[in-house]
Amino acid sequence: MSNEGKKVKTHYRGTLADGTQFDSSYDRGEPLEFTCCAGMMIPGFDAAVKDMALGEKKTVTIPAAEAYGEYNPQAVQSVPVSQIPNAAQLPVGETVYFQGPAGPFPAKVVSVDEEKAVFDMNHELAGKDLTFEIELVEIAD
């Protein structure tokens, strides 16, 4: 029976190919609630949960294209420091937020020099295959 369109709650643990954990609802002590196949989750996660039964546990590896997408080199942009207030204070290696037409969006500060600041607007997990241990703990119509 399909869970498509139903509100579900899942516990999950997400890891990278080398086994490094990047997220876990178990660690937060609260399952994740979402409407299955409504575009709230990465496509591969939705697909994994779609046909799960209540109480079922499964482990899936989701390729980058079905997770946060492939790494896009064109999402790395240089901006002249003359256009950035307090550019010298930008935290290299950390994430800052820009205001866009659809609201704020994150960008990692790659480097800052006397002429330009370089920002990477790819999702931090872009280009990575992800493994999830998923447990379906609740289904509501």
Side-chain angles (χ1 to χ4, degrees), residues 68-133:
Y68 292 96
E70 298 297 342
Y71 186 83
N72 179 1
Q74 292 157 341
V76 178
Q77 300 287 315
S78 295
V79 178
V81 293
S82 61
Q83 296 179 10
I84 305 170
N86 303 314
Q89 297 173 7
L90 283 169
V92 175
E94 295 187 30
T95 300
V96 296
Y97 290 84
F98 289 100
Q99 188 63 40
F105 64 92
K108 183 177 181 180
V109 181
V110 177
S111 64
V112 179
D113 62 27
E114 293 177 6
E115 296 177 14
K116 68 181 180 315
V118 179
F119 299 95
D120 185 345
M121 290 163 264
N122 283 286
H123 188 280
E124 64 183 329
L125 295 173
K128 297 181 184 202
D129 296 340
L130 308 177
T131 298
F132 286 95
E133 299 168 22

Side-chain angles (χ1 to χ4, degrees), residues 7-91:
K7 278 194 176 179
V8 297
K9 288 185 182 181
T10 62
H11 265 303
Y12 67 92
R13 179 172 290 105
T15 56
L16 303 175
D18 66 2
T20 302
Q21 179 177 296
F22 63 85
D23 196 11
S24 172
S25 66
Y26 292 105
D27 291 354
R28 288 189 299 279
E30 187 174 328
L32 175 68
E33 181 177 339
F34 62 97
T35 302
C36 189
C37 299
M40 300 168 74
M41 303 298 294
I42 58 174
F45 198 95
D46 263 339
V49 174
K50 181 179 174 184
D51 294 318
M52 287 179 71
L54 184 62
E56 182 180 350
K57 294 180 181 183
K58 71 163 60 167
T59 300
V60 296
T61 298
I62 300 172
E66 294 295 313
Y68 292 96
E70 298 297 342
Y71 186 83
N72 179 1
Q74 292 157 341
V76 178
Q77 300 287 315
S78 295
V79 178
V81 293
S82 61
Q83 296 179 10
I84 305 170
N86 303 314
Q89 297 173 7
L90 283 169

